[in-house]
Amino acid sequence: MATVATVDAERLDALRESFSGSLLSPGDDGYEEARRVHNGLVDRRPAVIARCLGAADIAAAVRFAREHDLDVCVRGGGHNVAGRAVVDGALMIDLSRMKGIHVDPAARTARAQGGVIWRELNREAAVHGLATTGGAISTTGIAGYTLGGGLGWLMAKHGLAADNLLGVELVTASGEVLDVREESHPDLFWALRGGGGNFGVAASFEYRLHPLVTVVGGLIAHPIEAGGAMLRFYRDALPDCPDDLNVFAGLVHAPDGSGMKLAAMVVCHTGTDEQAERDLAPFKEWGSPLVVEVGRMPYPEMNMLLDAGYPAGALNYWLSSFTAGLSDDLVDAIADRFATVPSPMSVILLEHFHGAVTRVGATDTAVPHREEGWNLLIPSEWLDPADTEANIRWTKETHAALAEHLVERRWLNYLGDDQDDAVRAAYGPNYERLARVKAAYDPDNVFRHNHNIVPAA
Ligand SMILES: Cc1cc2nc3c(=O)[nH]c(=O)nc-3n(C[C@H](O)[C@H](O)[C@H](O)COP(=O)(O)OP(=O)(O)OC[C@H]3O[C@@H](n4cnc5c(N)ncnc54)[C@H](O)[C@@H]3O)c2cc1C
């Protein structure tokens, strides 16, 4: 095993005196578990893991890292496929114990700490009949997800998570704690809505919530042989799609572990029974589906429908790009490539952008991806390390085979560890302004273990 960098015990004791959380070094109880993230391919060993309990702990950890010339990495929910929450030899600011959530039902807002995951925030908001846009599955952390824009089931109705952000309690590179809002720090607040973890450590987030108790949602699955026809139907059924309706579609594997290939649409409707009945009828009635499991359910349940397909510790390699429409040729190419997929856990997915998310200007927040259309995601997953090479190769070859139908734009939250060449395509026209904000708040690029924005000269 490679030598693991450590921090001198006496120096750590000095930090411990002013720290309310815990500090874990290699060999300590809990260290091995704490360095693990969702993607099982990520196997890195920080010199110290600072399990913070609040903004004061984060500030102390940032100052300590700078004084001792340690790299800093930040873990929110630990879900990012690139896995930069964990860096060899760094001081890892671990927010996984920061689970505080407070909902203000009268103001329809929620304040949640940086270690919260969507399942937890959904649950607290649902007690008051409220919700906001969160991830498509419930185990994703709110922190990295929101800072990266955050797309999900409610984005056509309520915009991205970043569009619902009202404020961020941010610990800066100098260890200052700022209450960042539109009114107080307009540039920094703009940058935090999509600029990733570049500007500091978000100790907590304040979100706008919306009245929402239940949705009509679920799965419609067809035999894989109908895949091409189903994706064409899906494309043709979506113009004039109401904001209440969100449909993602793709070629997938049956969730029962049988390895059976299916063509599937996942629907989520936020309107009344009558509206849902009317808007979903074409999707339910098309073709000869094998499964139509669509019904009314609490929103937090909708958010958990796909969780079982993404177990913690599975090995993940993802590629994605927005598409240039959904031509017959792209549909055929998707079907051809899916025929050779090596893992029974992998899918090729189309995420539809329309409604509220597309009514925000490309430069209004740091998220430039505001066009109607589709994001194509190839989230490859497998369990046996012996299959790693074949799965990564297939994912790259599939993305390359579809390239002529894709545009340059990339969804920041989906970028992997080897995709720094796509960072500009993720920030798009906002990169230069982000680089200026970066220079103002983190000129030394302390927060660089992310999809990095280099401070403007
Ligand atoms: C199964 C699965 C489903 C997903 N579904 C969606 C989806 O529906 N929509 C979507 O948009 N994305 C989705 N993602 C991607 C996800 O949003 C990103 O991976 C996001 O970074 C996860 O946030 P996290 O806090 O869990 O990640 P972490 O791995 O903890 O953090 C990722 C990065 O964000 C930064 N960061 C994290 N916390 C903080 C903080 N408090 N302050 C400052 N910087 C911080 C750091 O740079 C860190 O390296 C999904 C990912 C997975 C694995």
Side-chain angles (χ1 to χ4, degrees):
M1 194 175 77
T3 353
V4 182
T6 52
V7 175
D8 182 72
E10 262 177 49
R11 291 174 174 184
L12 264 190
D13 283 344
L15 172 60
R16 206 166 264 123
E17 276 172 24
S18 65
F19 206 76
S20 54
S22 50
L23 298 169
L24 302 174
S25 296
D28 285 351
D29 278 356
Y31 173 88
E32 287 302 316
E33 184 241 318
R35 74 183 184 84
R36 296 281 170 207
V37 286
H38 180 83
N39 185 358
L41 277 186
V42 178
D43 181 18
R44 304 192 192 116
R45 292 177 168 75
V48 57
I49 299 176
R51 295 207 122 165
C52 302
L53 292 185
D57 278 356
I58 298 171
V62 169
R63 288 206 189 92
F64 180 86
R66 297 202 69 178
E67 275 161 27
H68 297 94
D69 219 12
L70 288 164
D71 276 14
V72 172
C73 55
V74 185
R75 184 199 199 277
H79 238 228
N80 199 283
V81 169
R84 292 183 181 174
V86 205
V87 170
D88 282 331
L91 181 148
M92 174 175 167
I93 296 186
D94 176 2
L95 307 187
S96 61
R97 293 289 186 269
M98 291 178 52
K99 294 288 193 186
I101 302 173
H102 175 72
V103 175
D104 180 339
R108 290 187 183 157
T109 60
R111 166 73 67 180
Q113 284 188 308
V116 167
I117 63 172
W118 280 105
R119 176 187 301 221
E120 296 156 349
L121 182 48
N122 290 339
R123 187 160 178 262
E124 294 298 325
V127 169
H128 303 283
L130 298 167
T132 198
T133 305
I137 75 159
S138 79
T139 50
T140 302
I142 64 164
Y145 166 93
T146 302
L147 295 169
L151 68 85
W153 299 120
L154 304 183
M155 68 177 166
K157 183 78 175 174
H158 297 302
L160 302 172
D163 300 334
N164 288 288
L165 199 56
L166 297 172
V168 178
E169 182 189 19
L170 189 79
V171 181
T172 67
S174 58
E176 241 186 306
V177 183
L178 303 179
D179 179 20
V180 183
R181 297 172 175 278
E182 177 72 49
E183 315 81 63
S184 61
H185 305 80
D187 267 357
L188 183 54
F189 186 61
W190 172 86
L192 289 173
R193 286 176 293 156
N198 276 284
F199 304 95
V201 185
S204 67
F205 297 82
E206 187 181 336
Y207 295 95
R208 184 183 303 113
L209 303 179
H210 310 273
L212 183 72
V213 178
T214 57
V215 298
V216 177
L219 180 77
I220 301 167
H222 291 265
I224 189 67
E225 295 71 28
M230 188 205 77
L231 290 178
R232 286 177 177 81
F233 156 77
Y234 168 65
R235 169 194 66 201
D236 297 338
L238 288 178
D240 306 321
C241 187
D243 290 5
D244 280 314
L245 178 60
N246 218 317
V247 189
F248 290 175
L251 304 185
V252 306
H253 288 95
D256 61 7
S258 64
M260 183 185 181
K261 288 180 178 171
L262 295 169
M265 295 182 279
V266 183
V267 302
C268 175
H269 197 290
T270 53
T272 62
D273 281 340
E274 297 70 40
Q275 289 165 331
E277 192 63 42
R278 183 195 63 213
D279 296 338
L280 289 171
F283 294 89
K284 295 200 306 202
E285 286 161 13
W286 182 83
S288 309
L290 297 173
V291 177
V292 181
E293 275 177 18
V294 177
R296 193 164 277 287
M297 64 184 86
Y299 170 69
E301 216 171 281
M302 172 78 215
N303 198 208
M304 288 159 60
L305 275 189
L306 306 181
D307 284 6
Y310 296 91
L315 309 171
N316 281 261
Y317 183 84
W318 294 19
L319 277 167
S320 74
S321 289
F322 285 87
T323 73
L326 191 43
S327 64
D328 286 349
D329 287 349
L330 174 53
V331 167
D332 292 342
I334 290 172
D336 280 353
R337 287 304 306 173
F338 195 67
T340 63
V341 64
S343 165
M345 298 172 78
S346 297
V347 310
I348 300 181
L349 186 69
L350 288 156
E351 299 170 328
H352 186 217
F353 272 56
H354 75 108
V357 60
T358 61
R359 288 194 291 267
V360 176
T363 58
D364 289 355
T365 68
V367 183
H369 310 296
R370 303 299 186 163
E371 287 177 30
E372 281 202 24
W374 289 271
N375 185 44
L376 181 134
L377 174 61
I378 316 166
S380 284
E381 265 191 308
W382 62 101
L383 295 176
D384 187 345
D387 298 334
T388 295
E389 202 199 318
N391 279 282
I392 293 180
R393 192 181 338 111
W394 176 83
T395 315
K396 286 182 177 173
E397 286 174 1
T398 299
H399 191 257
L402 305 179
E404 63 179 293
H405 310 287
L406 306 175
V407 295
E408 258 200 17
R409 297 185 299 111
R410 301 280 193 105
W411 188 245
L412 181 72
N413 276 343
Y414 294 159
L415 293 188
D417 201 27
D418 61 351
Q419 290 153 41
D420 281 338
D421 58 341
V423 163
R424 287 222 171 215
Y427 297 118
N430 295 322
Y431 188 88
E432 274 72 28
R433 183 173 171 196
L434 284 165
R436 290 195 296 277
V437 181
K438 176 81 172 171
Y441 289 94
D442 184 16
D444 300 325
N445 210 356
V446 170
F447 302 109
R448 66 176 166 279
H449 293 291
N450 43 45
H451 294 297
N452 198 228
I453 295 160
V454 179

